[in-house]
Amino acid sequence: MEKAHLPTSEAAVVAIREIAKEFALSMSVTDDIGADQTSRRTSAELFTVLDSDGSLPHEAFVELEGSPSVSVQLFPEDDAKITVDGVEFHDVPRDSVPAFLRSVYGGLASTKGRLFPPGQWLIVPLPGDKTYKELILDFNLTPWLARSARG
């Protein structure tokens, strides 16, 4: 399966909407458009809409209802922060967001405990041998995280 190129935050929202439909999830979207509205442009003057290069930055925050709870913050710089049941994955390339969500909702994501280094990890494999792995900081696992445990 060829990886789709998502040139804009809006294209990524459309792709997430298709995944929500595929897995029967409801979702909500909040858009922030303009240099003075996006989270990474805090130094922009008020009412400054365009970046210095003339582009119009668009950031979107998507919440998917269900188990697990997932939110996706899409940044204008072609990356995203995906939070799965409280576990944050920073700097996920925007083009990888659909595969990441399919892995989570398709049952490929799992948790794994280790003695050294100690802790529980959430592991999300993507096609093409790319894997995202984050430490679960909360010792009280959600029901979805506990069910996703693998040896």
Side-chain angles (χ1 to χ4, degrees):
M1 177 164 85
E2 189 174 313
K3 186 162 125 175
H5 175 62
L6 303 172
T8 64
S9 294
E10 186 58 32
V13 170
V14 169
I16 294 169
R17 203 175 298 280
E18 290 172 8
I19 291 166
K21 185 177 178 182
E22 179 182 333
F23 289 97
L25 305 166
S26 61
M27 64 178 269
S28 62
V29 180
T30 304
D31 294 291
D32 292 319
I33 300 173
D36 64 339
Q37 299 297 310
T38 58
S39 65
R40 292 185 177 168
R41 308 287 198 298
T42 56
S43 62
E45 293 182 30
L46 284 177
F47 310 111
T48 303
V49 177
L50 301 176
D51 278 341
S52 58
D53 65 359
S55 64
L56 180 64
H58 174 202
E59 184 174 298
F61 182 76
V62 180
E63 289 183 287
L64 296 160
E65 301 295 326
S67 181
S69 65
V70 174
S71 66
V72 181
Q73 188 170 9
L74 298 159
F75 298 106
E77 296 83 10
D78 299 336
D79 69 324
K81 177 178 85 170
I82 303 175
T83 305
V84 180
D85 267 2
V87 181
E88 293 183 351
F89 293 83
H90 293 270
D91 303 320
V92 176
R94 182 166 52 211
D95 289 346
S96 296
V97 169
F100 189 103
L101 295 176
R102 278 196 172 88
S103 182
V104 167
Y105 289 111
L108 297 176
S110 63
T111 59
K112 186 170 186 169
R114 299 175 94 184
L115 290 175
F116 190 79
Q120 287 275 20
W121 298 81
L122 177 55
I123 302 164
V124 182
L126 272 57
D129 294 330
K130 177 71 177 168
T131 300
Y132 289 91
K133 182 169 110 173
E134 286 295 330
L135 181 64
I136 301 170
L137 298 174
D138 189 354
F139 294 110
N140 298 315
L141 297 181
T142 66
W144 183 84
L145 288 171
R147 272 193 314 272
S148 300
R150 299 212 175 117

